[in-house]
């Protein structure tokens, strides 16, 4: 169990699937051996980088749909055959490989503040029309899962969210109120984005980026 934690640097649910041990048992084993929480560890090395800080008051709205967090995670595409994680830092040093521009994927994600039900799509950009369309489809997804009305949408202060007419109109079409986070005050999306960076795509040594654009997924975080 401890070897699996050090190798994969993942939580109890993932380790339970890998080892065949119930998640609660995995949690007890990690706690018994004083293994720090993933949030307190460096994402790449797994070494503790800060002290534990816990609050008895969980940041959570009272009802599903009260507040939905929206954000975008920019992730570099992986060259065919794998990138530096698969082949080492010295890979890709030829002139042609240095000049090649394979671009980025943009993971658009929405998380309901109360239930932590999340919806995500992968797109080729983070333009205003793309963000507005994503919000509309995310609202349809939440409605299909019992969250019929979104009352507030909160984002960071990116131009697309704060200035674009298309996104503001998409919020208005939902009958929702738009809010913005204060700078340097990350919310639930920060943890989701960190997890996305670790898992993209199909593990840290994937051999290529997803072949299908506009891919969608959803998950629930407890």
């Amino acid at each position: 169990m401890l070897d699996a934690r050090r190798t994969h640097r993942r939580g109890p649910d993932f380790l339970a699937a890998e080892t065949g041990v119930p998640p609660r048992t995995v949690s007890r084993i990690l706690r018994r051996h004083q293994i720090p929480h993933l949030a307190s560890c460096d994402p790449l090395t797994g070494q503790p980088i800060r002290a534990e800080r816990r609050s008895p008051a969980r940041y959570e709205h009272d009802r599903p749909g009260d507040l939905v967090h929206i954000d975008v995670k920019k992730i570099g595409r992986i060259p065919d055959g794998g990138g530096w994680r698969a082949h080492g830092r010295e890979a890709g040093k030829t002139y042609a490989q240095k000049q090649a521009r394979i671009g980025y994927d943009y993971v658009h994600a929405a998380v309901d503040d109360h239930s932590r039900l999340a919806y995500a799509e992968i797109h080729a950009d983070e333009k205003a029309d793309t963000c507005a369309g994503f919000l509309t489809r995310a609202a349809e997804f939440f409605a299909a899962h019992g969250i019929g009305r979104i009352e507030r949408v909160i984002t960071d202060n990116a131009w697309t969210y704060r200035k674009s007419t298309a996104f503001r109109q998409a919020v208005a079409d939902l009958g929702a109120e738009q809010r913005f986070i204060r700078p340097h005050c990350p919310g639930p999306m920060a943890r989701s984005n960190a997890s996305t960076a670790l898992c993209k795509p199909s593990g840290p040594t994937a051999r290529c980026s997803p072949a299908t654009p506009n891919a969608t997924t959803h998950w629930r975080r407890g």
Side-chain angles (χ1 to χ4, degrees), residues 4 42 53 66 86 88 90 92 122 141 155-156 178 184 186 200 219:
D42 183 274
R53 293 188 298 176
D66 271 1
E90 295 304 313
I122 301 174
F141 168 81
T155 68
D156 60 23
Q178 187 173 2
H184 312 296
K200 61 98 178 176
W219 66 91

Side-chain angles (χ1 to χ4, degrees), residues 43-61:
L44 297 179
T45 66
Q47 297 299 315
I49 56 176
R50 62 177 177 266
E52 293 283 339
R53 293 188 298 176
R54 288 176 172 252
S55 170
R58 180 179 177 179
Y59 176 76
E60 178 183 301
H61 272 243

